[in-house]
Amino acid sequence: MEHNLAPDELWARACRVIPGGVNSPVRAFKAVGGTPYFVARAEGPFVWESRGRRFIDYVQAYGASILGHAHPAVVGAIASKVVDGTSYGAPTVGEILLAEAICERVPGCEQVRLVSSGTEATMSALRVARGFTARNKIIKFAGCYHGHSDSLLAASGSGVATLGLEKNTTSAVPGCLGVTPNLVADTIVVPYNRVPKISQEVACVIVEPAAANMGLVAPVEGFLEGLRKACNDSGALLIFDEVITGFRLSRGGASEFYGIKPDLWCFGKVIGGGLPIGAFGGRREVMEVLAPLGEVYQAGTLSGNPLAVAAGLAVLKELDVSGANPYQRLTQSAKKLADILSEAANQAGISVQLPLVGPLVGIFFTDEGPVTNYDMANKANDNGAYAKFFWGMLNHGIAFAPGSYEVMFPSLAHTELELEYTAQAAAEVFSSF
Ligand SMILES: *Cc1c(COP(=O)(O)O)cnc(C)c1O
């Protein structure tokens, strides 16, 4: 039915019954202007909008898709599971298998608990850290996004930044209306890529080991090592928010990629294969503060949902059996995409930076040195160039995220063909910039 409606009509209907027309703010195109396309279906590197127009998709569900959309292994796993019922409120074998698969891939992560989103994972990891250390304060880095729980919504990049909701990027003021000053009173916000002083009141330091919600900002040499040491010295727990980097930077995620072990990990996106899932884990002695063993309460009616678990297991398994090292292939695609965009921009005399971290690519339209923190990212994102790039590429049938604080997610389904086409489009878009 929706195929018969023009996008503007769909948008008007959406806006009537859904606040701002969307169920997650970045989707509303506020940062790039215009009206969002409605997706009808997706397969491999492509999405089709409601009128049947096909886009090469570098959004890939903001990183939830690593194999490409509707991968047969994932579709098959879900289809064969769904007939058995969709949720039971009781333990399942699948939960054991997924927890084992995560712990086996991430050395040091001895126990995990499954939740239904990345937000829940980080929120719960903070509670565990506070319960374990009996300390209150937390340290987060400006520009790192850890979901939308109250105490983490301070200088949090991503959609909050895209919508211009926060200006203060260094001290802990609430990142949005509805978060009271009390709720962030124990949140200390410090600049990314600088090891902060950690007092004895700090329960944990939470960080995106590679920051991918202020554009892409890699950790500078010594940053993660420094955090590890500072946490050891102060007794604070180090939390890696690997909701994007987990099972994407490498088989063991960022902790393997950088060779640094945190005390707690948060996962999401990739491990649900596009279904709602999150997970947090760590050493047994830390995780055992959780109820029913310990006194830190955390729960979920849909936690360990059998369909999400089946999808996640299928993704992890497929990454293991997909032939040539998938991370090497992803990294090559990312490098190629960065080269393509930077060459096209250079040809047209446009200043651009294309930071790379393994399979992740970012883009900043700036000629000022490498962007290493949130203030620099904000400055680089302030010139309107991204919106021009976004619309130019979309008009050529190529979808990037509708906001400059996101990154690009070439998937295993993107081939030379899509990259070649991207190169042609980029040349045309930048030459008429
Ligand atoms: C997406 C994201 C989250 C939040 O996950 P949701 O599933 O959207 O709640 C948390 N941390 C990071 C680093 C993310 O990229």
Side-chain angles (χ1 to χ4, degrees):
M1 184 193 91
E2 67 199 25
H3 288 255
N4 300 323
L5 285 179
D8 283 347
E9 287 175 73
L10 286 175
W11 185 234
R13 273 176 69 176
C15 289
R16 213 165 293 134
V17 287
I18 303 170
V22 291
N23 285 310
S24 198
V26 176
R27 298 178 195 169
F29 276 34
K30 277 267 160 66
V32 293
T35 306
Y37 53 91
F38 284 74
V39 173
R41 70 185 190 92
E43 195 181 325
F46 306 115
V47 296
W48 284 261
E49 52 85 91
S50 54
R51 285 236 154 147
R53 179 141 190 244
R54 192 183 81 173
F55 299 125
I56 296 172
D57 183 37
Y58 289 106
V59 186
Q60 295 289 319
Y62 291 90
S65 164
I66 190 168
L67 303 174
H69 294 293
H71 189 282
V74 177
V75 174
I78 296 169
S80 72
K81 206 75 206 143
V82 69
V83 291
D84 293 335
T86 48
S87 207
Y88 319 118
T92 63
V93 175
E95 292 169 290
I96 308 173
L97 297 178
L98 185 55
E100 285 176 349
I102 294 170
C103 293
E104 182 251 315
R105 283 165 177 74
V106 184
C109 184
E110 296 172 337
Q111 293 201 325
V112 286
R113 185 161 274 180
L114 301 179
V115 291
S116 296
S117 68
T119 295
E120 273 184 85
T122 54
M123 180 182 85
S124 307
L126 288 192
R127 191 176 298 155
V128 164
R130 283 168 161 156
F132 182 78
T133 58
R135 299 175 179 187
N136 292 337
K137 299 214 176 286
I138 62 160
I139 292 179
K140 84 172 282 292
F141 294 91
C144 285
Y145 180 66
H146 304 294
H148 63 95
S149 72
D150 290 321
S151 60
L152 288 166
L153 265 189
S156 53
S158 191
V160 192
T162 302
L163 297 180
L165 292 179
E166 60 185 12
K167 298 294 173 221
N168 190 320
T169 61
T170 48
S171 64
V173 295
C176 76
L177 205 63
V179 177
T180 68
N182 278 344
L183 289 170
V184 291
D186 287 323
T187 304
I188 300 164
V189 181
V190 295
Y192 195 73
N193 269 327
R194 233 167 47 211
V195 178
K197 284 207 168 54
I198 303 175
S199 82
Q200 297 294 313
E201 293 173 284
V202 173
C204 62
V205 175
I206 185 166
V207 66
E208 284 184 77
N213 284 285
M214 50 171 149
L216 184 63
V217 176
V220 296
E221 191 74 37
F223 175 56
L224 297 175
E225 291 86 341
L227 284 183
R228 181 63 279 178
K229 179 168 188 314
C231 284
N232 288 348
D233 292 348
S234 69
L237 298 188
L238 179 59
I239 305 178
F240 275 7
D241 179 351
E242 295 222 40
V243 172
I244 282 183
T245 57
F247 316 105
R248 181 173 288 274
L249 291 199
S250 73
R251 190 171 185 271
S255 56
E256 177 183 85
F257 189 83
Y258 291 114
I260 306 285
K261 249 183 230 166
D263 300 291
L264 286 166
W265 285 259
C266 301
F267 300 112
K269 298 193 171 118
V270 165
I271 49 155
L275 270 71
I277 207 168
F280 62 102
R283 291 197 305 281
R284 185 166 290 107
E285 85 180 298
V286 177
M287 292 299 283
E288 286 187 347
V289 302
L290 280 166
L293 297 173
E295 293 176 46
V296 174
Y297 193 73
Q298 182 280 332
T301 305
L302 299 177
S303 292
N305 175 268
L307 295 188
V309 164
L313 275 169
V315 170
L316 295 183
K317 194 163 151 214
E318 187 61 27
L319 287 168
D320 276 356
V321 301
S322 68
N325 185 331
Y327 296 103
Q328 221 170 331
R329 272 156 60 209
L330 285 167
T331 300
Q332 278 163 4
S333 293
K335 171 88 171 52
K336 179 122 202 238
L337 180 59
D339 287 348
I340 282 168
L341 295 174
S342 101
E343 194 184 310
N346 288 341
Q347 287 277 331
I350 295 160
S351 302
V352 75
Q353 276 176 39
L354 286 132
L356 277 165
V357 175
L360 293 172
V361 196
I363 189 164
F364 291 114
F365 290 95
T366 177
D367 52 9
E368 282 177 40
V371 172
T372 56
N373 62 37
Y374 196 36
D375 284 339
M376 293 171 81
N378 280 327
K379 221 170 129 207
N381 284 336
D382 208 21
N383 54 20
Y386 186 86
K388 255 166 102 175
F389 164 72
F390 168 85
W391 274 112
M393 295 304 276
L394 196 70
N395 289 332
H396 280 77
I398 302 175
F400 291 98
S404 56
Y405 288 82
E406 315 301 331
V407 299
M408 308 170 193
F409 292 102
S411 76
L412 285 169
H414 289 75
T415 68
E416 287 289 316
L417 227 69
E418 283 80 54
L419 288 164
E420 272 312 309
Y421 184 76
T422 305
Q424 285 169 30
E428 286 177 37
V429 167
F430 285 132
S431 67
S432 60
F433 225 50

